[in-house]
Amino acid sequence: MRIIRKLFDSRLFWMIISFLVSLSIWIYVVSVETVESTKTFRNVPVELVGEDTLLNMRELVITDLDTPTVTLEISGPRRIVNGLEATDLIAQVDVSKLSQTAYTSLNYTIIYPSGVDRRSLQVINRSRDSVSFMVSKLTSKSVPVQGGFEGKTDSGFIQETPIFEPSTITVSGPEVYLRNVHHAYVTFGKDQTLDSTYSVDVGYILMDATDQPCSNENITAAPDIIRATLPVLAVKEVPLYISVQGGSGAAAENTRITVEPKTLKLAGDSAVLAEINQIQLDTIDLTSFGTKFTSTYSIPVPNGIRNLSGASEATVTIEVLGVETKLFDIEEFTWIGLDEDVEVIVESEQIPVLLRGPHNLLTRVTPYTIHAEADLTDLMQGLGSHMVTVTVTVPSIPGVGAIQEDGQPDYTVAIRLVRRGEEAQP
């Protein structure tokens, strides 16, 4: 025990111990710093730099990078190599100097963490020396919005073509990706049963020309929401009709009126359709023809209403029943509004007048029962030749009257007005 205590008290002993410890530390440090070690780093991320410069100065973008990572085998001092992980490294590619659209390859540079002496490290193996990618022109284009309603309409209603607002969208991205984008497709209204116009905000899918979905990769589209509207119209069937004005033995009660088509199917706003109960084609004066009339009329459809039947014209036939016609020549006329000093010279020898009525009444008509009258009041200041309208009636035989089978509104006669006592010039 005395010897050990004497040893611990010896200055020489502690000098020897200090030397040995220092030697050990020196040997350890030298071995760590100088002994080489090799390590494989997998999934080192690939990073592109200079993309902003490429986009802002040349409107070029990078797409289709062939790999997001690389594998590296690095040799160097054990202390440094063993202290690194794959996530500490970056395989960096500078794309800022590219100027043309093309599929290209560039070498990458290994970026180490700050403080690491890269001169002491050596990449002895790489999974690849470069990375490849596409340099594309950034562009944009407008494409139409298309789509369909997936619900149904209630009975008595029909749906029109959907309306999309906006009707086009703008897609932007690399030119090579935009080539396949043909339209934006919208679906809406699933499980809906409608009896009025329906609107909803929906998204869309980008589609190609064969109606297959396109990839959204590297593509932006605006706006991202579409207002889809399905106009829904009420349906109503209304009759077509002709109004008649009676006369000369004809009235609504003894006429047969046929309209073909008889009805028209309409579609429109339900409130507007509620006010439409029939469509009038025309008003026919029954004195404008003999016993039968046929004509074609355009069908007037109110504004905002759709004609679902497709017919744009209707054929009208009117038959006056229980009557016949007979022609008379009129030579005697009655003039009203005539000044005493003015004389009327009839330049027409006679005018033919067609009368219509039941057979038993027509047999009672003679030229003396026919009254032909013309009002000359407005002509008194205009001596000379005139064409005047003559009203023809059979006052003594009700139910018989004159008609204009040629469709002319009135009978006319040529006259000449002269002063009495003046020689009538032919």
Side-chain angles (χ1 to χ4, degrees):
M1 179 66 71
R2 183 178 301 173
I3 296 175
I4 294 176
R5 182 178 300 169
K6 186 178 181 180
L7 181 62
F8 281 164
D9 291 338
S10 172
R11 184 177 181 183
L12 178 61
F13 171 77
W14 288 111
M15 290 178 62
I16 294 172
I17 293 298
S18 298
F19 173 77
L20 293 175
V21 170
S22 299
L23 180 62
S24 299
I25 293 173
W26 180 82
I27 293 173
Y28 171 77
V29 171
V30 171
S31 65
V32 170
E33 290 295 332
T34 59
V35 174
E36 292 288 318
S37 178
T38 300
K39 184 176 179 179
T40 299
F41 297 87
R42 304 183 187 279
N43 298 319
V44 175
V46 174
E47 178 186 83
L48 302 180
V49 295
E51 287 186 283
D52 290 344
T53 301
L54 197 65
L55 175 62
N56 296 332
M57 296 185 62
R58 304 180 186 90
E59 295 186 340
L60 298 176
V61 291
I62 303 298
T63 63
D64 301 321
L65 183 66
D66 67 345
T67 180
T69 64
V70 295
T71 298
L72 304 174
E73 190 175 359
I74 298 177
S75 177
R78 179 181 300 170
R79 177 181 62 84
I80 299 176
V81 172
N82 289 348
L84 294 175
E85 300 294 337
T87 53
D88 298 325
L89 308 177
I90 298 174
Q92 191 176 85
V93 181
D94 184 0
V95 298
S96 62
K97 295 180 174 57
L98 298 174
S99 60
Q100 294 183 340
T101 60
Y103 189 75
T104 188
S105 298
L106 287 179
N107 294 332
Y108 55 84
T109 301
I110 305 302
I111 305 299
Y112 296 94
S114 176
V116 172
D117 183 10
R118 62 175 299 163
R119 292 172 299 178
S120 64
L121 301 176
Q122 181 180 5
V123 179
I124 61 175
N125 194 19
R126 305 172 185 239
S127 60
R128 58 197 305 158
D129 294 323
S130 63
V131 294
S132 299
F133 47 82
M134 174 65 74
V135 182
S136 299
K137 188 74 173 177
L138 182 67
T139 187
S140 63
K141 69 177 182 179
S142 293
V143 296
V145 178
Q146 302 175 8
F149 175 66
E150 293 189 319
K152 62 181 180 180
T153 51
D154 210 346
S155 176
F157 296 85
I158 63 168
Q159 56 180 275
E160 292 196 294
T161 303
I163 300 171
F164 302 112
E165 297 176 326
S167 59
T168 62
I169 65 167
T170 300
V171 290
S172 302
E175 187 176 31
V176 66
Y177 282 91
L178 293 190
R179 290 174 186 167
N180 292 332
V181 180
H182 181 265
H183 62 275
Y185 189 75
V186 171
T187 59
F188 66 106
K190 186 176 182 180
D191 300 327
Q192 295 285 333
T193 300
L194 306 180
D195 60 4
S196 62
T197 297
Y198 173 74
S199 294
V200 66
D201 291 333
V202 292
Y204 51 82
I205 300 173
L206 298 180
M207 308 287 276
D208 63 18
T210 63
D211 293 327
Q212 296 300 311
C214 295
S215 171
N216 292 334
E217 183 181 4
N218 300 308
I219 293 177
T220 60
D224 55 359
I225 295 296
I226 299 296
R227 184 71 172 176
T229 299
L230 182 74
V232 175
L233 305 179
V235 178
K236 185 176 183 179
E237 192 165 9
V238 298
L240 304 177
Y241 84 102
I242 284 286
S243 177
V244 295
Q245 294 178 347
S248 302
E253 293 75 16
N254 69 323
T255 58
R256 180 189 295 135
I257 301 175
T258 303
V259 180
E260 185 58 43
K262 296 177 181 174
T263 62
L264 200 67
K265 183 176 288 188
L266 303 177
D269 183 85
S270 56
V272 176
L273 279 185
E275 302 296 323
I276 303 174
N277 295 315
Q278 58 186 2
I279 294 179
Q280 181 176 345
L281 299 174
D282 199 2
T283 297
I284 303 297
D285 184 353
L286 295 179
T287 66
S288 63
F289 63 93
T291 58
K292 188 173 182 179
F293 167 87
T294 299
S295 186
T296 300
Y297 294 88
S298 296
I299 301 175
V301 178
N303 290 336
I305 300 298
R306 290 186 56 192
N307 176 0
L308 299 183
S309 298
S312 60
E313 294 182 334
T315 300
V316 176
T317 300
I318 302 177
E319 296 177 88
V320 183
L321 307 177
V323 296
E324 56 186 50
T325 60
K326 187 174 181 180
L327 189 64
F328 292 86
D329 291 328
I330 303 301
E331 298 179 354
E332 299 296 329
F333 301 92
T334 299
W335 316 110
I336 62 174
L338 184 65
D339 287 348
E340 293 181 356
D341 63 340
V342 176
E343 181 179 359
V344 179
I345 299 174
V346 179
E347 296 187 326
S348 302
E349 295 183 359
Q350 58 186 18
I351 61 171
V353 173
L354 187 65
L355 300 184
R356 182 179 64 195
H359 174 76
N360 62 323
L361 297 181
L362 277 180
T363 59
R364 295 166 47 190
V365 178
T366 68
Y368 303 103
T369 59
I370 300 174
H371 182 75
E373 181 180 278
D375 186 352
L376 306 182
T377 302
D378 295 335
L379 302 181
M380 289 303 94
Q381 301 303 318
L383 300 178
S385 298
H386 301 275
M387 292 294 294
V388 296
T389 298
V390 177
T391 300
V392 180
T393 60
V394 188
S396 62
I397 308 177
V400 175
I403 61 172
Q404 289 286 75
E405 196 166 29
D406 58 2
Q408 296 299 318
D410 297 291
Y411 288 99
T412 58
V413 63
I415 65 172
R416 186 155 48 89
L417 300 182
V418 298
R419 297 290 180 185
R420 291 187 184 276
E422 295 181 359
E423 183 177 357
Q425 298 297 323

